[in-house]
């Protein structure tokens, strides 16, 4: 992935780092992604001044990069970007520190953080039943930043194996297992209980639970898209987190 820093700033009220990157997989309507990491100190003298300063940075970049998708994330403490950019949406609703939601993720795209469009792709030449389709999830721009394709996974595995085989008197054993509808069997509440038992941070567990529940999903066939169904179980296929979450869910 190609990236470069396009803006930095550090003042008494605001610290920010803005980068522009080009992920390997990106929706066709965007040519790049502009991500801004933000820190508003808890002792900031003026949250309004901090948000005005951040608004100026984002506004200038949106004007110069109209083809980009924008993501703003960081520790906002008591500040709120929507006061100066009301068209941006805050996607984190779970507590991130104690009982407070101080870490925010903003984008100008409503309901895109967890919304998924499912496109059925035939597994076989002749379709006899619904199980002959593979449900490919088209996720949001934000989730595209987390996705890992099968091709990437195979390439990484082969690179690791071949690098090991370059050493003298070595061999590699591989075991491939295909679980049927594996990601659909994840129960978020039970998963989070197991993650807490494994010692994961409570804020991270809350974020994962928030991510896996209340996910809008619709199946698209050609140009036809029915009404959206909200899911509270399973994990989206194609998301880099899903294989790891499934492994942790079944580790015992």
């Amino acid at each position: 992935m190609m990236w470069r820093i396009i803006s930095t700033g550090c003042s008494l009220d605001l610290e920010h780092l803005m980068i522009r990157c080009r992920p390997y997989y990106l929706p066709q309507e965007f040519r790049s992604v502009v991500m801004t990491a933000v820190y508003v100190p808890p002792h900031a003298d003026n949250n309004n001044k901090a948000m005005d300063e951040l608004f100026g940075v984002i506004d200038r970049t949106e004007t110069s990069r109209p083809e980009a998708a924008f993501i703003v994330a960081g520790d906002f403490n008591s500040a709120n970007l929507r006061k100066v950019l009301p068209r941006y949406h805050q996607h984190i609703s779970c507590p991130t520190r104690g009982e407070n939601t101080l870490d925010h993720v903003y984008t100008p795209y409503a309901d895109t953080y967890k919304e998924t469009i499912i496109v059925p792709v035939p597994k076989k030449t002749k379709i006899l039943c619904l199980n002959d389709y593979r449900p490919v999830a088209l996720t949001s721009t934000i989730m595209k930043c987390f996705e890992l394709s099968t091709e990437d996974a195979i390439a990484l595995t082969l690179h690791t194996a071949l690098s090991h085989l370059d050493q003298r008197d070595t061999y590699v054993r591989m075991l491939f297992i295909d679980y049927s509808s594996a990601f659909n069997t994840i129960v978020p509440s039970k998963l989070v209980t197991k993650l807490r038992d494994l010692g994961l941070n409570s804020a991270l567990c809350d974020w994962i639970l928030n991510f896996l529940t209340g996910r809008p999903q619709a199946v698209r066939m050609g140009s036809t898209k029915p009404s959206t169904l909200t899911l509270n179980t399973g994990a989206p296929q194609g998301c880099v987190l899903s294989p790891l979450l499934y492994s942790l869910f079944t580790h015992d």
Side-chain angles (χ1 to χ4, degrees), residues 75-141:
D75 184 351
F76 281 77
N77 279 295
S78 59
N80 192 326
L81 183 61
R82 284 179 56 83
K83 289 184 177 180
V84 293
L85 278 172
R87 60 186 176 80
Y88 270 60
H89 303 270
Q90 208 288 98
H91 299 281
I92 304 299
S93 58
C94 62
T96 59
R97 239 171 305 159
E99 297 180 355
N100 301 315
T101 304
L102 305 181
D103 303 290
H104 298 175
V105 174
Y106 295 91
T107 73
Y109 320 108
D111 301 324
T112 59
Y113 178 51
K114 297 187 287 186
E115 184 176 8
T116 301
I117 301 298
I118 303 297
V119 178
V121 176
K123 299 179 184 178
K124 305 176 181 179
T125 304
K126 187 176 181 180
I127 303 300
L128 300 177
C129 63
L130 292 178
N131 285 335
D132 292 336
Y133 287 100
R134 184 182 306 280
V136 176
L138 303 181
T139 54
S140 66
T141 302

